[in-house]
Amino acid sequence: MLSWKLRKFVITKNKRRTTIMARMASEQKLGFYPTPEKEMQWILKRVTAEADTPVNVLDPCAGEGRAMELIQQHLQQKGADVTSYGVEIEESRARQADISIDHLLHCSYEEMVSTERGFSLLYLNPPFQDNDQERMEKTFLRDLTMDRMGANGLFIFNLPQPVLKDCADLLARRFDNIRVYRFTDDNYDQYQQVIVYGTRQKGGIITKDKQMRQEMIKTRLETTAEKGKHAVKPLDTDDTHEVQYIVEEPSAPLLTFRSNKVTVQDIQATMTGEEGQEIEERLARAMPDLEYQDENVQLTPAMPLKTAHIATAIASGVLPEQMGADHLLVGVTKRVKEEKQQINDKTGKEEKVVTTRPKSLIRIFSDRGIFNLK
C-alpha cells in the first residue's frame, strides 16, 4: 500500500511489468542509470596504468559506488596506487557508496570543492533527461570537465547514443583520442547507451589546423549519434590489445576535496573545546530563553505539506525514494509552458506571450504501473 492517500492521479500508458521494473532503478533519482557490471568490465579492458603510479579517480555521480569500486580494483591489479573519490546526492546511496569509496561526499556535484587538475580519471554517468534549456548530460559534461583533470587525464563518459549529438561540440573542443563504443547486445537495446573515451587536451593557442580537426571530430560524433546501433562497435569488440588508455599521475596534488554544504554535524564539529564553550556562553547571555532542539524529536509542519513540497524533498535527497516494499517515489520537476494574449503597451496591438514555470509532481513506479501524483 502507498504511504499516503492518493487524491488525484493520472495513469500513464500501460507497460509491461518487466519494462516498468527495469526502469524503476534507472529513473528513481533524476534519470540515473546504473552501469551494468558486465559493461563496466568491458569498459575497463581498455584502461591500464603503470605500476606504482599514484592516481586519483573520481565518479561525481557515484550511486552506490559499484562502478568506482570496479575501477579502483582494476587499476590496483595493474599495480597503481589508487585513491577513489565520489559524490552522491541521494542519502541511502551515499551511505552505501561510502563503504567502498575512499572519500565520498554526500552532496550535489555543484557543492563539491576540489583542487584543479587533481584527478587522473573521471568516470561520468550523469542523469539521462532534459533540463530546461539543454540535456543534463551536457550540463554535467561542461561543468565537470572544465578543470577537474589535467592534460592527458582520462575521461570515460556514459550516455545515450542520440544525446551524443548534444555533447559533440564540447567533447571535440576538450578531448583528444576520442573513441566511441556502444553497450553489448545484452544491454544496448534497453537504453541505447554508448561509452566515450577521451584524454583531456592540453591548453594553449588554438590554431586553424586544430579548429579544423575539432570540427571534423564534432561532425563525426554528431553522425555517430544519428546512425544507430550498427554504426558503433560494441564494447566486446576484440580490439583491447590495440586500444589502451593509460591512467597517469594527476597534473597537481589533490589537496582539497570537500563539500561546501554546511551540515549540523559540521557546525557541531567546530563547537568543541574552549572555543565551543565560549560560543555557547555568549549565546546563552544574548538569548537567555534559547533552547536547543533535540535532534531525535521530529518537527511537524504548521501546515500540511503539498505534493510539490514532497516532490522537491525527494528530488533533493532529503526524503528517501523507497517508501514501501513494492514501489518507488520520484520527485520530478518539469518546465510548463503557458500562453496568453495581451495588449502591447507600446504598439497597442494584441500579441501572444509565452512564459514557463516549474511544476513539481511525484512519480510512482510499481509493478501495477507508473502513476503521476499531482
Side-chain angles (χ1 to χ4, degrees):
M1 297 297 294
L2 298 177
S3 50
W4 64 77
K5 184 178 180 181
L6 299 178
R7 296 183 179 179
K8 182 179 180 182
F9 60 85
V10 178
I11 302 178
T12 61
K13 183 179 179 180
N14 290 331
K15 298 182 179 180
R16 291 180 303 151
R17 173 183 175 130
T18 53
T19 303
I20 293 170
M21 299 308 290
R23 290 190 63 84
M24 283 173 65
S26 66
E27 289 199 12
Q28 57 182 300
K29 179 62 64 180
L30 296 176
F32 175 69
Y33 292 65
T35 307
E37 189 161 323
K38 175 184 176 181
E39 307 302 325
M40 201 70 221
Q41 292 171 348
W42 279 109
I43 290 169
L44 293 173
K45 287 182 181 294
R46 295 176 179 84
V47 178
T48 190
E50 296 182 357
D52 300 322
T53 302
V55 298
N56 299 324
V57 294
L58 170 66
D59 185 348
C61 306
E64 294 182 346
R66 183 55 178 162
M68 181 50 61
E69 183 179 12
L70 291 172
I71 292 172
Q72 184 169 22
Q73 290 174 353
H74 174 79
L75 293 176
Q76 286 174 337
Q77 290 171 2
K78 300 294 182 180
D81 181 10
V82 188
T83 305
S84 59
Y85 298 81
V87 179
E88 174 54 42
I89 189 173
E90 201 275 323
E91 183 176 359
S92 61
R93 287 201 293 259
R95 286 199 301 268
Q96 182 64 33
D98 192 42
I99 298 173
S100 58
I101 296 178
D102 296 328
H103 304 280
L104 191 283
L105 301 179
H106 172 214
C107 62
S108 67
Y109 80 87
E110 296 99 329
E111 296 167 319
M112 175 182 64
V113 179
S114 64
T115 307
E116 292 186 4
R117 306 185 307 280
F119 293 103
S120 313
L121 179 152
L122 194 157
Y123 177 71
L124 181 58
N125 179 21
F128 297 171
Q129 71 176 45
D130 287 305
N131 183 28
D132 198 7
Q133 301 297 324
E134 65 180 8
R135 294 285 304 188
M136 290 190 74
E137 298 92 331
K138 184 177 180 180
T139 302
F140 276 59
L141 170 65
R142 178 193 301 108
D143 294 349
L144 287 163
T145 62
M146 173 68 77
D147 54 16
R148 306 290 180 185
M149 297 176 291
N152 298 322
L154 178 57
F155 179 54
I156 304 176
F157 192 19
N158 184 339
L159 73 165
Q161 184 176 349
V163 183
L164 191 57
K165 184 174 183 179
D166 299 77
C167 301
D169 182 56
L170 269 174
L171 288 169
R173 286 190 287 109
R174 291 187 178 179
F175 296 95
D176 291 323
N177 306 311
I178 293 177
R179 288 185 175 88
V180 182
Y181 296 83
R182 64 169 173 83
F183 274 16
T184 64
D185 290 342
D186 290 342
N187 293 298
Y188 174 84
D189 292 334
Q190 194 168 18
Y191 303 122
Q192 300 182 346
Q193 285 167 265
V194 296
I195 295 296
V196 179
Y197 297 89
T199 54
R200 192 67 169 91
Q201 293 179 1
K202 297 179 181 179
I205 299 174
I206 300 178
T207 64
K208 186 175 181 179
D209 287 344
K210 187 172 184 179
Q211 285 181 324
M212 292 178 62
R213 287 197 302 271
Q214 289 178 346
E215 192 61 35
M216 290 174 60
I217 294 172
K218 175 188 173 184
T219 301
R220 176 166 60 86
L221 292 174
E222 290 175 338
T223 302
T224 300
E226 296 174 341
K227 281 192 172 181
K229 176 179 180 179
H230 299 293
V232 186
K233 293 180 180 180
L235 282 166
D236 55 4
T237 299
D238 185 20
D239 66 354
T240 56
H241 58 290
E242 301 172 356
V243 180
Q244 286 291 299
Y245 288 90
I246 300 176
V247 181
E248 301 179 357
E249 184 175 349
S251 300
L254 189 61
L255 303 178
T256 301
F257 183 73
R258 61 176 176 82
S259 169
N260 63 14
K261 180 174 69 174
V262 179
T263 66
V264 173
Q265 289 74 21
D266 295 329
I267 297 173
Q268 290 174 340
T270 64
M271 296 182 64
T272 58
E274 295 181 2
E275 183 179 355
Q277 185 177 354
E278 180 183 352
I279 292 174
E280 289 190 14
E281 291 174 353
R282 290 172 61 185
L283 285 173
R285 289 195 298 268
M287 294 177 286
D289 296 330
L290 177 67
E291 294 183 5
Y292 291 97
Q293 174 66 48
D294 185 346
E295 62 180 11
N296 296 318
V297 175
Q298 185 175 0
L299 299 178
T300 303
M303 298 292 289
L305 293 178
K306 296 182 179 180
T307 300
H309 298 147
I310 300 172
T312 302
I314 295 174
S316 67
V318 174
L319 291 180
E321 303 154 348
Q322 188 78 36
M323 290 192 175
D326 61 350
H327 64 277
L328 291 173
L329 307 181
V330 184
V332 179
T333 301
K334 296 185 176 182
R335 304 295 295 185
V336 179
K337 288 186 177 180
E338 295 181 342
E339 298 182 1
K340 63 179 180 179
Q341 300 292 129
Q342 69 178 33
I343 303 298
N344 188 308
D345 294 334
K346 294 182 178 180
T347 64
K349 296 181 180 180
E350 187 178 45
E351 59 185 23
K352 182 172 70 173
V353 177
V354 180
T355 59
T356 62
R357 63 178 178 84
K359 182 178 181 180
S360 298
L361 57 89
I362 297 173
R363 182 164 294 161
I364 303 171
F365 292 85
S366 74
D367 56 3
R368 290 177 293 169
I370 302 175
F371 307 86
N372 288 338
L373 177 63
K374 299 184 177 180

